[in-house]
Amino acid sequence: MEGIANIFIPILIIVLMFVMDWRLGLLSLVPLVLGMAAMGMMMKSGFEKMNDYYESAAKMNNTIIEYVNGMEVVKVFNKDGDSYRRFGDVVRDYRDFTIAWYKVCWPWMAAYASILPCLALLMLPVGSYMGLSGALALDKLILVLCMSFAVGPSFLKALNFAGKFPQLDYKISEFEKLMDHPPLKEGQNRFTGEGFDVSFEDVRFGYEDEEVLHGVSLTMKQGTTTALVGESGSGKSTLAKLLIHYYDIDGGAIKIGGQDIPGRMC
Ligand SMILES: Nc1ncnc2c1ncn2[C@@H]1O[C@H](COP(=O)(O)OP(=O)(O)OP(=O)(O)O)[C@@H](O)[C@H]1O
Ligand SMILES: [Mg+2]
């Protein structure tokens, strides 16, 4: 609604200006054309970097979430320094990227934001000259000048609104990627296992292309506590996540009481 109103009001006013006096109507188009040209330059220089900009923002957000979620572990292992450095690096990257991006866009953005609202810039001197020389009636000039002030702000709002489309494109495509992700397989079988021993049998799993668990087999007896010990990144948390079926496994089987949990094997 906002986009439509802000596009139609300026169009209507410009048409009225042409009806009142075609020369003033024509004059009112000059700042619009110049402003649009500046906007075109801004889009040309900045839009190809738009996706990189959003990716950099997403990376920063992910790192912040990871940092906050992992705070406990970070504190336990006294890794504040490392973790904070990573957090700092990614924020600094985002800052540098944003500043570089704005440096390219801002001159054009400032140009169009200054030129577009100034419809009276040419109309005032030229219209006054026409009025004084008798080529234009004073009442018409005043009316057209008053109308001209309503064009710029609406037009700017409409353009700002149009600037949201690339953002929407990016967000929709990210959302579609998420929606296209195959759902986790769910088993229909009721639990018929015997006891609650947990066993991993030759489990293979990778997050993307890289395999993280290369055929892990172990049994955890019901009612006992099992400690997983290994280097950071060796796959301990991954193993726990697979047990609660956070992801589908790529090979092998995970069983509770001898029954496969839903996953690749079902
Ligand atoms: N969501 C994820 N996407 C892609 N790779 C991941 C993801 N989670 C973990 N990994 C990778 O999988 C490997 C195993 O990670 P995991 O978190 O299971 O290790 P870990 O043994 O729990 O480490 P830590 O002791 O630091 O907690 C690591 O190389 C890690 O970078
Ligand atoms: Mg872990």
Side-chain angles (χ1 to χ4, degrees), residues 216-238:
V216 173
S217 299
L218 72 133
T219 303
M220 298 175 244
K221 287 280 178 204
Q222 176 182 349
T224 63
T225 302
T226 303
L228 293 174
V229 182
E231 284 178 7
S232 176
S234 56
K236 304 177 295 292
S237 300
T238 304

Side-chain angles (χ1 to χ4, degrees), residues 73 207-208 212 230-239 241 247:
V73 181
Y207 281 98
E208 272 142 35
V212 172
E231 284 178 7
S232 176
S234 56
K236 304 177 295 292
S237 300
T238 304
L239 217 62
K241 285 175 189 164
Y247 304 101

